[in-house]
Amino acid sequence: MRTPDLIRFARDAATGNPLRTFFLVLAMAIGVAAVVLLTALGDGARRYVLNQFSSIGSNLVIVLPGRSQTGGFNPGNAITSTPRDLTIDDAQALQRASAVHRVAPLAVGTSEISVGGKLREVMLAGTTAEFIEVRRLALAQGRFLPQGDWRRGASEAVIGAKIRDEMFARDEALGQLVRIGDRRFRIVGVLASTGQGLGMNTDELVIVPVSLAQAMFNSNTLFRILVEASSRDSIDLAKAQLSEIIRLRHEGEQDVTIITQDAVLATFDRLLGTMTIAVAGIAAISLAVAGILVMNVMLVSVTQRTAEIGLLKALGATGATIRNAFLTEAAMLSVAGALLGFVFGQAGAAIIRQMYPEFPAFPPDWAVLAGLGTALGTGILFGVLPARRAARLDPVQSLSKR
Amino acid sequence: MSMALIELSGIERVFRLGDSEVHALRHLDVCIAAGEYVAVMGPSGSGKSTLLNLIGLLDRPNAGTYRLEGCDVTTLSAEEQAHLRSERIGFVFQSFHLVPRLTAAENIALPMTLAGVAPLRRAERVARALRDYGLEQRANHRPDQLSGGQRQRVAIARATIMQPALILADEPTGNLDRSTGEEVMRLLEGLNDQGVTLIVVTHDGSLGARARRQLLMADGALEHDRWRSPQGLTDVCVLPT
Ligand SMILES: Nc1ncnc2c1ncn2[C@@H]1O[C@H](COP(=O)(O)OP(=O)(O)O)[C@@H](O)[C@H]1O
Ligand SMILES: [Mg+2]
């Protein structure tokens, strides 16, 4: 049988029973669409996280108290050593490193802000003028904390966009006096809104000079020290220098963890990449189910078309011809389902991107190829058994079936 | 003088149903020359269809040899038998056996499609067949849009489209009224007039009587081998003594 005839014959056989064909194609399409859509979500989450991290600041190196293995979070290590605290002196010492461009100490705690009878709990960050540069933040109004001695800060505060809206509504916030904890501060700046992001949400943050924050928390420790390396290439050098400076200051003990954004990114990348693969695997199960469905439907089709198979044999069709006809039909149904599913999946991903523009829900190429490949593979694989059964039917008995 | 087209000797066909055995054909020796018109007759269950299926290479005997055009076909592989069916044998069935989703023209073309004949050649031959069998107006009709007689005409056109040497018809008029049956028989006989060997199974005595030779079956054995008007056809076959 010629290939075009084979394809036409299989197509006619498939369209001869539209309901059966519709459900088969639909099952296959759902499987492929699931792979495309779910991996689009998984990979979208990965890209979203990566984007969020890059927006935190470039060339960022973070020093935090306590020893931990690079890149991993090991609870064992966290417990065994009692780490020395990081102090403002430590942070100032880090400025000496040649590969370091800027340093911003960070002390964090919760406090209350009140103005004009309104009271609200807030996240209070004590830092210095460098913070806005290191974290790549923007101001909506006013100015940031001024440069100056880290140990003496004026009673000035910069507030996040959401705090401003909630505490001042339509009133002017700049220049207002507010009470934070038991101290009075003057608002000098409002941060530009960044929306919900990873890490600290700066919209609900109140920033004050680090010395005042420490006084309010009644502590001289730092939550962490943010360091901006002088260039992307000098991140590793900066890391080594920071580590050496801290070791010297902490009596030869390496009791801090220095993480780079790259390492964090790599960890998240791996984590979310693995998740995407897992999700793809789960979605692929639906393809296997679709494959089994193909087999069942084709087996039923062989039974229903027994008389026709007997006739084809009487008319001179070889077993191979009949096997090919049924295999072609299974393959065609799978291809149709796979293509339809591809379109569904891409459309779904496009709708998600439309609804959440900041979420890059693009299915990765490997997942699309794997989805289409698995669909074809299972369709044909599960088509083999029915096709062979059809090819082996006894012509005389088949012809007597109705 | 025509040569023997079909030589059956010592053919046995036994069906096993659980413990019991049915001897559908017992020690059958038949010889049919090319161009003959043979009616196979006998009561229901006497083995007529079984014999026809064997001759048509749809079934294999349990014992005996079958020589088609001089060569032993009982030992051929399924594949080789399929090729012989495709090129040398045409079937006509009682219940027409048309593919319901295909048009009359497509049904007629089916043996050529299966054999891989080029589309152009196919179209040409189908057009001629449609004309010969008066089906031009029905070319694009599906079987359920055709009358019984038209369906059997399509089936006959299909059986002849590969220009076989042998046409096997198993009660071709069984599902037709008398006059349509007559018409179908005339078509088949017309093919025989052109030299095609024709074997028709029937249990209708008057239809069987039209054939020049009648094989009368009874309980799987050949009871009678009768020539309406002996024309010396026997001498091509070596009859068993
Ligand atoms: N596939 C089969 N299995 C079992 N018995 C069969 C089968 N085919 C035919 N027979 C038996 O063989 C005998 C001959 O059948 P058949 O050739 O169909 O008779 P006819 O066509 O003359 O009516 C019958 O007794 C029938 O029951
Ligand atoms: Mg019969």
Side-chain angles (χ1 to χ4, degrees):
Chain A
M1 210 165 170
R2 290 158 175 263
T3 310
D5 289 329
L6 199 63
I7 290 171
R8 180 131 35 89
F9 188 85
R11 186 203 62 197
D12 289 349
T15 51
N17 195 337
L19 199 66
R20 172 184 77 101
T21 301
F22 171 77
F23 279 115
L24 241 186
V25 168
L26 189 68
M28 212 34 123
I30 289 173
V32 174
V35 170
V36 171
L37 198 56
L38 290 179
T39 54
L41 287 175
D43 205 53
R46 187 182 65 85
R47 290 188 215 202
Y48 177 73
V49 167
L50 297 192
N51 287 348
Q52 288 295 327
F53 264 98
S54 347
S55 72
I56 287 174
S58 57
N59 308 340
L60 192 62
V61 181
I62 302 167
V63 182
L64 45 152
R67 180 117 205 233
S68 160
Q69 245 135 29
T70 352
F73 300 95
N74 190 335
N77 284 341
I79 295 163
T80 47
S81 60
T82 42
R84 229 168 302 250
D85 292 327
L86 284 172
T87 62
I88 292 186
D89 289 338
D90 287 333
Q92 270 176 328
L94 295 182
Q95 287 181 306
R96 295 201 311 264
S98 63
V100 165
H101 183 43
R102 292 191 184 93
V103 174
L106 186 61
V108 172
T110 54
S111 187
E112 283 173 351
I113 180 168
S114 64
V115 61
K118 286 187 201 157
L119 186 74
R120 190 195 195 280
E121 189 157 331
V122 290
M123 178 82 93
L124 189 65
T127 186
T128 62
E130 287 79 7
F131 183 75
I132 192 166
E133 305 290 345
V134 175
R135 277 292 315 272
R136 299 258 182 274
L137 296 176
L139 285 167
Q141 282 179 286
R143 60 170 173 83
F144 199 68
L145 301 177
Q147 296 281 351
D149 189 352
W150 287 9
R151 298 175 177 289
R152 259 187 290 280
S155 290
E156 292 175 337
V158 175
I159 58 174
K162 193 168 174 199
I163 304 284
R164 197 220 82 89
D165 290 345
E166 286 181 12
M167 302 305 291
F168 298 98
R170 293 179 195 290
D171 300 338
E172 179 59 55
L174 283 189
Q176 296 289 327
L177 279 176
V178 295
R179 175 166 288 280
I180 300 172
D182 51 2
R183 287 163 185 258
R184 288 164 72 78
F185 287 85
R186 185 175 299 281
I187 309 284
V188 294
V190 178
L191 290 172
S193 176
T194 53
Q196 194 69 45
L198 279 172
M200 222 184 289
N201 183 0
T202 55
D203 288 355
E204 297 187 54
L205 202 61
V206 171
I207 299 169
V208 298
V210 64
S211 54
L212 296 183
Q214 283 186 331
M216 287 162 76
F217 300 150
N218 200 14
S219 140
N220 60 355
T221 65
L222 292 178
F223 175 58
R224 55 192 55 178
I225 303 171
L226 307 183
V227 178
E228 187 186 335
S230 37
S231 73
R232 193 166 181 80
D233 298 333
S234 59
I235 287 177
D236 281 339
L237 179 62
K239 224 177 131 176
Q241 290 174 343
L242 298 176
S243 153
E244 179 61 14
I245 292 169
I246 297 286
R247 200 176 59 77
L248 288 174
R249 291 182 55 82
H250 288 191
E251 289 142 21
E253 270 219 60
Q254 182 62 57
D255 57 359
V256 293
T257 301
I258 301 175
I259 52 176
T260 60
Q261 196 174 307
D262 281 357
V264 175
L265 278 181
T267 306
F268 268 94
D269 203 3
R270 256 200 321 276
L271 199 73
L272 292 167
T274 312
M275 192 187 80
T276 305
I277 292 172
V279 160
I282 292 166
I285 291 173
S286 66
L287 277 177
V289 173
I292 291 168
L293 200 72
V294 168
M295 180 165 73
N296 271 301
V297 168
M298 292 306 290
L299 281 176
V300 170
S301 172
V302 169
T303 312
Q304 283 175 343
R305 284 157 65 191
T306 300
E308 179 190 322
I309 294 163
L311 169 74
L312 294 178
K313 289 197 161 179
L315 297 183
T318 60
T321 301
I322 289 173
R323 196 182 57 227
N324 289 344
F326 275 83
L327 264 185
T328 305
E329 192 179 333
M332 272 171 63
L333 294 173
S334 305
V335 170
L339 291 180
L340 197 66
F342 174 74
V343 172
F344 280 174
Q346 291 285 13
I351 289 170
I352 290 173
R353 293 196 299 270
Q354 195 74 42
M355 284 164 58
Y356 307 100
E358 72 274 26
F359 192 81
F362 291 96
D365 289 346
W366 63 260
V368 171
L369 290 178
L372 292 176
T374 315
L376 288 188
T378 52
I380 292 166
L381 188 73
F382 286 106
V384 168
L385 183 70
R388 283 172 59 154
R389 179 169 294 188
R392 284 197 193 142
L393 282 177
D394 174 66
V396 174
Q397 281 176 23
S398 307
L399 273 168
S400 64
K401 289 260 166 52
R402 305 228 102 224
Chain B
M1 186 186 282
S2 46
M3 65 173 273
L5 180 74
I6 294 161
E7 289 172 79
L8 299 173
S9 56
I11 295 290
E12 305 273 347
R13 185 67 178 101
V14 184
F15 293 107
R16 281 187 186 81
L17 288 169
D19 293 339
S20 64
E21 289 190 345
V22 181
H23 282 260
L25 294 177
R26 316 167 182 264
H27 204 83
L28 204 71
D29 300 298
V30 181
C31 191
I32 296 169
E36 269 194 76
Y37 174 11
V38 181
V40 182
M41 305 204 289
S44 179
S46 56
K48 306 182 297 290
S49 296
T50 307
L51 174 62
L52 210 68
N53 291 335
L54 268 172
I55 293 175
L57 294 172
L58 292 175
D59 197 7
R60 289 170 190 267
N62 297 87
T65 56
Y66 169 16
R67 299 168 80 80
L68 180 65
E69 296 180 318
C71 55
D72 188 352
V73 290
T74 33
T75 53
L76 293 182
S77 71
E79 191 97 335
E80 291 165 323
Q81 291 196 339
H83 283 124
L84 272 180
R85 279 201 298 275
S86 167
E87 299 189 345
R88 311 302 294 155
I89 304 170
F91 287 94
V92 178
F93 305 96
Q94 177 177 357
S95 52
F96 321 133
H97 277 300
L98 301 180
V99 181
R101 62 174 179 278
L102 299 182
T103 64
E106 287 168 337
N107 266 294
I108 294 173
L110 196 51
M112 294 193 289
T113 311
L114 291 169
V117 174
L120 225 67
R121 181 107 175 281
R122 237 153 55 196
E124 203 175 282
R125 278 214 234 165
V126 168
R128 177 144 26 95
L130 286 167
R131 216 165 39 241
D132 290 351
Y133 291 91
L135 291 163
E136 285 150 302
Q137 307 305 314
R138 300 275 177 259
N140 295 316
H141 289 207
R142 285 175 210 289
D144 57 3
Q145 300 165 317
L146 299 175
S147 72
Q150 287 167 340
R151 286 186 212 182
Q152 200 59 302
R153 291 215 299 268
V154 171
I156 294 171
R158 181 180 65 189
T160 55
I161 202 76
M162 290 291 285
Q163 297 166 340
L166 174 64
I167 298 245
L168 304 173
D170 195 346
E171 312 213 17
T173 63
N175 283 4
L176 302 173
D177 60 52
R178 183 149 279 284
S179 67
T180 325
E182 276 284 324
E183 184 196 336
V184 163
M185 285 309 292
R186 270 201 302 277
L187 281 176
L188 290 171
E189 285 160 5
L191 292 168
N192 176 245
D193 291 342
Q194 291 161 33
V196 178
T197 310
L198 177 64
I199 305 180
V200 181
V201 166
T202 179
H203 54 237
D204 180 330
S206 65
L207 279 182
R210 298 161 67 125
R212 281 184 291 279
R213 180 181 176 190
Q214 285 110 25
L215 298 179
L216 255 161
M217 304 277 301
D219 200 17
L222 183 59
E223 201 185 51
H224 243 310
D225 188 348
R226 191 165 64 199
W227 274 268
R228 197 181 45 178
S229 49
Q231 291 166 340
L233 284 164
T234 36
D235 56 358
V236 300
C237 296
V238 186
L239 286 169
T241 48

